[in-house]
Amino acid sequence: TPLKGDTEQALASENDLTPEELVNFSYRQVSLFTLARHTVSALPTMTLLDEHYRSHPQIIGFSNDRFYGGRLSVFTEPERLRVQTDPEHPAVRWEHVAGESVRPQHGSAFNEAEVERVVQLVADFTSGYEPPLSIGVVTPFRLQKERITEALARRLDGPTLERHQVIADTAHGFQGDERDVIVFSTVISSGAQPSTVAFVENNPNLFNVAVTRARSMLVIVGDEGACRAREGLLGALARYAAGLREPDPMAQGGEPETDDEQLLLTHLIPTGIRAISQYEVRGLRVDIALPDLVPPIAIEVDGSSHDSPDGSRLLRDVYRDTKLRRSGWVVFRVPAWRVRLEPATVVGEIVSMAAHNVGDLHE
């Protein structure tokens, strides 16, 4: 059960913690890892585990952009997941429920309309899959968790709940856990109190946990319009889900990461081939993509720091290239020095590949 604010204040007073000290030692706001990181002076350098194999690329994609700065390399194979998706049925979807957020004077918040929709979704996922899907429900609010748990027990029998490993819990309770399908009940509606919204949006670590517990599918339940209008995490997630539902093909890229990529893009313009920098393909960012070609071409510009002494970068490239080929892409790797010294020759090779539909070319 989450620690209440007044209880934490009482414990702080008993232990003579000043308000300034409570900022650092707050159980409700600060994780044990964060506390240790700021307290111990000789901590080793933190290493990001930047290879991801669990969740569908569309599921981890939101957190990769929002919380990890795009540093994760996503190697999950969607074909091996329990629920298969397609452009009309993405792995992250929003179920609009215009309910009412209720927060009693003393206690957590709940949304009864969301409870009903969540239970129906869970019931829907308990049929049609063999072996059975594992299903979880995550919500920021303890009271919502309790109401969903009670409603699930009324709707589904014990053997069904056990067979599908159905559990409803807060993000605290889901840390380290995962399910084939996660239903995320936001509780947020157009009339939600500011404190209720703040509780959801001011806890980025817990928000990240909530949206990354799913392997195959994440279903968000809430007032889509109210959430999408916000500038915080809820708005970002709502817009992300909408973008998967109605993708803008002209908005799938980003800025070039190196001068060499920019130079190659500039020399590709006269060819008339549409080239997009930092194009996403199943959770991977391609340096330069030519998505309109058949087959499409993924251009990877390998810089001077491309090689690593332990060979880990080479192994990662093998994973990337294999995943791209399985998605129907041709991979063209070119050293950055060639782009700088002979860009016209490099572009000519790319145009030749496009014209003759040849296989991968590696430097």
Side-chain angles (χ1 to χ4, degrees), residues 51-62 64-65 72-81 83-87 91 215 240 244 252 278-286 289 291 296 298 300 318-331:
E51 294 183 3
H52 184 90
Y53 295 87
R54 182 184 72 240
S55 301
H56 190 288
Q58 292 178 344
I59 295 173
I60 194 62
F62 174 80
N64 194 16
D65 290 339
L72 296 183
S73 294
V74 183
F75 295 121
T76 313
E77 293 291 343
E79 295 83 2
R80 300 184 180 183
L81 297 174
V83 181
Q84 295 302 300
T85 60
D86 56 56
R215 290 189 290 262
Y240 179 79
L244 294 177
Q252 291 180 337
Q278 296 303 309
Y279 187 87
E280 183 174 342
V281 181
R282 295 175 61 190
L284 301 177
R285 287 285 180 178
V286 173
E300 297 288 337
V318 171
Y319 283 139
R320 285 176 57 88
D321 293 357
T322 300
K323 187 174 181 180
L324 288 168
R325 293 192 195 100
R326 287 177 178 174
S327 300
W329 287 68
V330 170
V331 180

Side-chain angles (χ1 to χ4, degrees), residues 275-348:
I276 303 178
S277 179
Q278 296 303 309
Y279 187 87
E280 183 174 342
V281 181
R282 295 175 61 190
L284 301 177
R285 287 285 180 178
V286 173
D287 289 345
I288 300 174
L290 311 181
D292 298 336
L293 301 180
V294 181
I297 297 177
I299 304 171
E300 297 288 337
V301 181
D302 298 334
S304 58
S305 61
H306 178 70
D307 296 326
S308 56
D310 61 359
S312 60
R313 184 60 184 266
L314 177 61
L315 183 60
R316 180 177 299 184
D317 287 342
V318 171
Y319 283 139
R320 285 176 57 88
D321 293 357
T322 300
K323 187 174 181 180
L324 288 168
R325 293 192 195 100
R326 287 177 178 174
S327 300
W329 287 68
V330 170
V331 180
F332 174 54
R333 288 194 170 273
V334 57
W337 66 263
R338 284 199 62 207
V339 174
R340 292 191 296 271
L341 296 180
E342 48 183 24
T345 301
V346 172
V347 169

Side-chain angles (χ1 to χ4, degrees), residues 134-147:
S134 58
I135 307 167
V137 179
V138 62
T139 179
F141 299 97
R142 174 186 52 79
L143 189 54
Q144 183 76 347
K145 176 204 75 171
E146 294 173 353
R147 287 176 172 255

